[in-house]
Amino acid sequence: MAGYRHKRKRINVTFEGDHEYAGFEAVLRGQSLGEYLNLMGIGEVDMSGIADQLKEMGRALISWNLLDEDTGEPIPPTQEAVYEQDQDLMLALATAWADGLAGVSAPLESGSTDGQPSLEASLPMEPLSLSQAS
C-alpha cells in the first residue's frame, strides 16, 4: 500500500469590496487538530485568550501584502510585525483566520446580506388594539 502525504491546509484571507480593509490579503498556515482545539479553548492547553490567539496567528502567518504606512516598503510577515500593526486590522485578520480554520467562508463585503430579510424583521412591533371588531 502506498503512503499518503497530507499537506497542511493554508488559509487565504482577502478583504474585498466595501470592507474597511479591502485590498489586504494574507496567507496563514492551518493548524493540527491539537493546535486548533487549544486555540478554541477545548484542548489540553487553553489558548482561547486573544493574546494567545494573536501569538499563534503570528506564528502561522506565511505572507501578506502589508506595506509600511510611511515608506511604502513591504512589512515582513512575522510574529513581531503582527504586534506592531493596527489592532483592529490584526483582530480582523485573526477572526478571518479562525473562521477559515473552522471552515467558514471568507468575509462578506460590508453591507452584504444573505439575500432575504429575516422573518422577525417583518413582524409588526406595535401593540395590538384592545378594541375588537363585531
Side-chain angles (χ1 to χ4, degrees), residues 41-131:
I42 52 180
E44 291 181 22
V45 178
D46 184 353
M47 295 181 61
S48 61
I50 192 67
D52 289 328
Q53 290 176 354
L54 288 168
K55 185 182 291 185
E56 194 61 30
M57 182 194 76
R59 285 189 201 121
L61 191 57
I62 296 170
S63 66
W64 61 12
N65 65 346
L66 195 57
L67 303 176
D68 183 276
E69 180 179 22
D70 298 322
T71 67
E73 294 292 317
I75 297 173
T78 64
Q79 186 177 6
E80 296 77 25
V82 165
Y83 286 95
E84 296 171 358
Q85 304 314 309
D86 176 75
Q87 71 179 20
D88 293 336
L89 175 60
M90 292 300 101
L91 292 173
L93 177 57
T95 299
W97 176 60
D99 288 348
L101 289 171
V104 178
S105 300
L108 293 173
E109 296 178 13
S110 294
S112 177
T113 68
D114 65 355
Q116 297 293 325
S118 70
L119 190 54
E120 291 83 2
S122 64
L123 294 174
M125 298 307 291
E126 303 85 33
L128 296 174
S129 169
L130 294 177
S131 65

